[in-house]
């Protein structure tokens, strides 16, 4: 490996060290506040619940430290020692060409998935289980893993073949065409995901007739949202965590409630959660995320164009310049860059959450939103006292105390 290769491996290690440092801060802050419920929540959250939330947060954070260190160590091992023999093994039975490049990427992905599996299993059956959230059975876990892998293979294999073929046909301009094709695939996925892919994993049913549905429909009509986009998902077969989300755009847009959320919340709270999701729709957040993804993908393809055409990139890691290997190496190299940029994307996402909260407050008032957020936090054992620096790096949603304070502040 060359000097630059060593520097990149050090950057991966430094990124992991930063991740560990932020997690240690998070654990220390949560532990320091474990024995007193923040004043704003003293009425709704018992000391016992608060302590359980602290224990759960600390357990999860510890777990993610192990994951982070393992990931970084493996990335470095791949670059420094393992990619070359993996490629040599593949090269010994596949001739140079498209297939060899595609198989290299798929083999790397497959090994990565296998390594992740024990972590996913431990998360569900040990971590979530201990705090009473897990509802997954081993059979369902394995079925989920198999379905996800099959789906990944069905999408990546043909895409990789097409990309490498394009690269061979037009070495200078391939990446612009590949980028356009990639974006078309992203947009198609955004539209098709709710109707084709999500149903492979969960059942989606329209909301039951009744008072709740009538109230929701009135709210939808008020906000100009077609009511056929409202669904209940059987999330309870995997976990007791409650949630709601917004997906798709145009005619394909829908709002999905976890059945676990509908069970636990009052109609007023559910209405405020719906109003919050409608806020995402009103402000065009899905479209903004897609545009952000488009900009990032453009940079990604530009980097690939450079790396595929470069005489030096593969050599940094002592690797042959097969496009499959180059793609894998670039994937590993991007991690520290993505990590350093994560506060920017997290900040944008939190800003969108504030906008959706403000919309919900205007539509249904602040009280139901505050009580919905409080209940969600309590039931999901989310911490009320995160470390601010940790939150600024990783939180896609502002900490609940901040959201509640902002809702209270507005008159
Ligand atoms: Zn939201």
């Amino acid at each position: 490996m060359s000097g630059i290769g060593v520097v990149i491996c050090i950057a991966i290690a430094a990124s992991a060290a930063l991740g560990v440092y932020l997690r240690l801060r998070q654990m220390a802050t949560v532990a320091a506040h474990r024995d007193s419920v923040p004043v704003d929540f003293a009425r709704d959250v018992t000391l016992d619940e608060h302590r359980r939330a602290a224990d759960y947060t600390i357990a999860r954070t510890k777990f993610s430290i192990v994951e982070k260190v393992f990931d970084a160590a493996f990335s470095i091992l791949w670059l420094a020692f393992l990619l070359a023999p993996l490629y040599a093994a593949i090269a010994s039975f596949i001739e140079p060409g498209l297939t060899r490049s595609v198989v290299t990427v798929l083999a790397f992905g497959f090994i990565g998935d296998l390594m992740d599996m024990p972590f996913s299993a431990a998360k569900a059956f040990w971590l979530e289980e201990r705090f009473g959230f897990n509802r997954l059975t081993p059979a369902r876990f394995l079925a989920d893993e198999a379905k996800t892998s099959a789906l990944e293979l069905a999408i990546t294999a043909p895409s990789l073949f097409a990309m490498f073929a394009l690269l061979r046909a037009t070495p200078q301009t391939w990446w612009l065409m590949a980028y356009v094709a990639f974006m078309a695939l992203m947009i198609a996925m955004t539209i098709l995901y709710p109707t084709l892919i999500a149903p492979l994993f969960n059942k989606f049913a329209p909301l039951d007739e009744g008072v709740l549905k009538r109230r929701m429909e009135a709210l939808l009509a008020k906000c100009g949202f077609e009511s056929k986009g409202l669904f209940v998902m059987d999330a309870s077969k995997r976990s007791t965590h409650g949630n709601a989300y917004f997906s798709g755009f145009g005619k394909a847009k829908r709002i999905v409630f976890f059945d676990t959320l509908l069970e636990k919340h009052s109609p007023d709270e559910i209405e405020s959660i719906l109003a919050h999701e409608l806020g995402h729709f009103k402000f065009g957040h899905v479209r903004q995320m897609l545009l952000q993804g488009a900009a990032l993908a453009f940079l990604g393809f530009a980097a690939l164009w450079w790396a595929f055409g470069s005489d030096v990139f593969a050599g940094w890691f002592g690797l042959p310049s097969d496009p499959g290997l180059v793609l894998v190496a670039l994937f590993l190299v991007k991690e520290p860059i993505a990590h350093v940029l994560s506060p920017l994307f997290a900040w944008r996402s939190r800003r969108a959450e504030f906008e959706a909260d403000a919309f919900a407050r205007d539509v249904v008032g602040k009280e139901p939103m505050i009580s919905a957020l409080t209940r969600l936090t309590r039931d999901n054992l989310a911490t009320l006292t995160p470390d601010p620096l940790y939150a600024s790096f990783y939180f896609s949603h502002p900490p609940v105390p901040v959201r509640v304070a902002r809702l209270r502040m507005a008159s």
Side-chain angles (χ1 to χ4, degrees), residues 203-209 213 227-233 262:
K203 284 202 182 71
F204 292 84
L207 200 64
D208 284 339
E209 296 297 330
K213 181 163 186 185
S227 63
K228 66 178 183 351
L230 209 56
F231 290 85
V232 183
M233 182 182 107
L262 294 184

Side-chain angles (χ1 to χ4, degrees), residues 66-382:
V66 177
E67 260 183 316
K68 188 95 194 157
V69 171
F70 185 85
D71 275 356
F74 241 87
S75 295
I76 294 171
L77 278 177
W78 271 124
L79 287 171
F81 304 108
L82 302 176
L83 278 179
L86 174 73
Y87 183 73
I90 292 167
S92 70
F93 64 91
I94 302 177
E95 288 163 28
L98 291 183
T99 310
R100 188 195 275 186
S101 302
V102 173
V103 169
T104 304
V105 181
L106 294 180
F108 169 80
F110 179 72
I111 297 170
D113 282 353
L114 274 188
M115 314 272 286
D116 278 342
M117 237 171 79
F119 286 103
S120 315
K123 203 177 266 172
F125 300 111
W126 175 69
L127 184 65
E128 296 287 294
E129 185 78 42
R130 260 167 63 205
F131 289 89
F133 289 123
N134 182 48
R135 292 251 182 97
L136 261 179
T137 57
R140 175 156 287 134
F141 174 81
L142 290 174
D144 283 355
E145 293 281 328
K147 271 188 257 182
T148 311
S149 303
L151 212 58
E152 274 173 13
L153 190 67
I155 295 169
T156 17
S159 308
L160 287 171
F161 265 111
M163 183 172 84
F164 292 141
L166 207 55
L167 167 67
R168 182 174 292 190
T170 54
Q172 279 312 308
T173 49
W174 71 271
W175 66 286
L176 289 170
M177 288 183 274
Y179 172 69
V180 171
F182 176 81
M183 283 316 300
L185 183 69
M186 282 298 102
I187 293 167
M189 287 294 279
T190 311
I191 294 166
L192 297 179
Y193 178 84
T195 44
L196 281 186
I197 297 177
L200 294 175
F201 295 89
N202 283 97
K203 284 202 182 71
F204 292 84
L207 200 64
D208 284 339
E209 296 297 330
V211 187
L212 183 63
K213 181 163 186 185
R214 281 200 296 279
R215 280 183 67 174
M216 304 259 248
E217 280 175 340
L219 181 60
L220 290 169
K222 193 170 149 188
C223 302
F225 191 93
E226 281 171 60
S227 63
K228 66 178 183 351
L230 209 56
F231 290 85
V232 183
M233 182 182 107
D234 59 346
S236 57
K237 68 182 185 187
R238 290 201 179 78
S239 152
T240 61
H241 283 299
N243 207 347
Y245 70 87
F246 180 91
S247 75
F249 56 83
K251 278 209 165 13
K253 62 182 181 288
R254 42 172 73 186
I255 291 170
V256 174
F257 286 98
F258 286 17
D259 54 355
T260 43
L261 184 120
L262 294 184
E263 274 164 28
K264 290 176 191 156
H265 289 259
S266 73
D268 281 345
E269 290 169 355
I270 294 169
E271 201 175 42
S272 75
I273 293 168
L274 173 61
H276 170 100
E277 297 304 325
L278 287 171
H280 285 308
F281 156 63
K282 274 283 172 197
F283 287 103
H285 290 153
V286 174
R287 212 171 310 136
Q288 282 171 27
M289 292 304 263
L290 200 72
L291 283 175
Q292 178 181 301
L296 287 174
F298 188 81
L299 294 178
F301 276 98
L304 269 179
W305 167 76
W306 170 79
F308 284 156
S310 160
D311 301 327
V312 293
F313 179 74
W316 289 348
F317 309 99
L319 298 169
S321 60
D322 182 289
L325 263 184
V326 169
L327 180 67
V328 169
L330 199 66
F331 172 80
L332 293 167
V333 166
K334 81 164 201 326
E335 200 289 327
I337 303 166
H339 193 196
V340 171
L341 292 179
S342 54
L344 180 67
F345 299 113
W347 169 76
R348 275 186 59 100
S349 164
R350 291 195 300 269
R351 206 180 51 172
E353 293 304 324
F354 279 136
E355 285 176 351
D357 278 355
F359 181 82
R361 182 197 64 220
D362 292 345
V363 175
V364 295
K366 63 183 166 184
E367 284 314 322
M369 191 75 230
I370 291 173
S371 86
L373 285 172
T374 307
R375 191 185 300 272
L376 269 171
T377 310
R378 203 180 56 196
D379 292 349
N380 288 329
L381 292 178

